[in-house]
Amino acid sequence: MNNIEGNHYVASAMQPIQVMQAIMTPEQFSGFLIGNIIKYRMRCNHKGQHDSDIAKSLQYRYWYDLARHGKTIEPDKDKTPDGYEWKGIE
């Protein structure tokens, strides 16, 4: 199971990430994604959830890559690929 999803997200016709991408400007959406990358990176050593927080930051980083290249995110399909590594924020 992807660390970003859960029953509370998939119960709706669209997940929040899809709604945000649809209504935000590309700049706003990039800012949202970057904010979540920073949040999960900064808290990973402080909440006792290191591995899941790192996984969440990588998921948002992967989505950032997709969005930056004009792809509409499909959270059920666009899972972080195996071996995907942190690249910083470009």
Side-chain angles (χ1 to χ4, degrees), residues 1 17 22 35 39 47-48 51 54 60-62 82:
M1 176 183 199
I17 192 87
K39 172 181 72 176
K47 289 189 70 183
D51 292 347
I54 291 297
Y60 279 103
R61 179 60 173 91
Y62 180 60
D82 289 337

Side-chain angles (χ1 to χ4, degrees), residues 22-45:
I23 66 171
M24 291 178 166
T25 67
E27 293 80 15
Q28 290 170 328
F29 189 62
S30 288
F32 164 77
L33 296 170
I34 291 168
N36 276 290
I37 295 165
I38 293 167
K39 172 181 72 176
Y40 287 115
R41 283 297 209 189
M42 289 187 72
R43 79 178 203 181
C44 70
N45 292 319

Side-chain angles (χ1 to χ4, degrees), residues 43-69:
R43 79 178 203 181
C44 70
N45 292 319
H46 304 291
K47 289 189 70 183
Q49 302 171 30
H50 181 271
D51 292 347
S52 66
D53 282 346
I54 291 297
K56 288 176 185 179
S57 74
L58 287 173
Q59 180 64 73
Y60 279 103
R61 179 60 173 91
Y62 180 60
W63 286 343
Y64 174 77
D65 283 343
L66 296 177
R68 225 173 35 132
H69 290 97

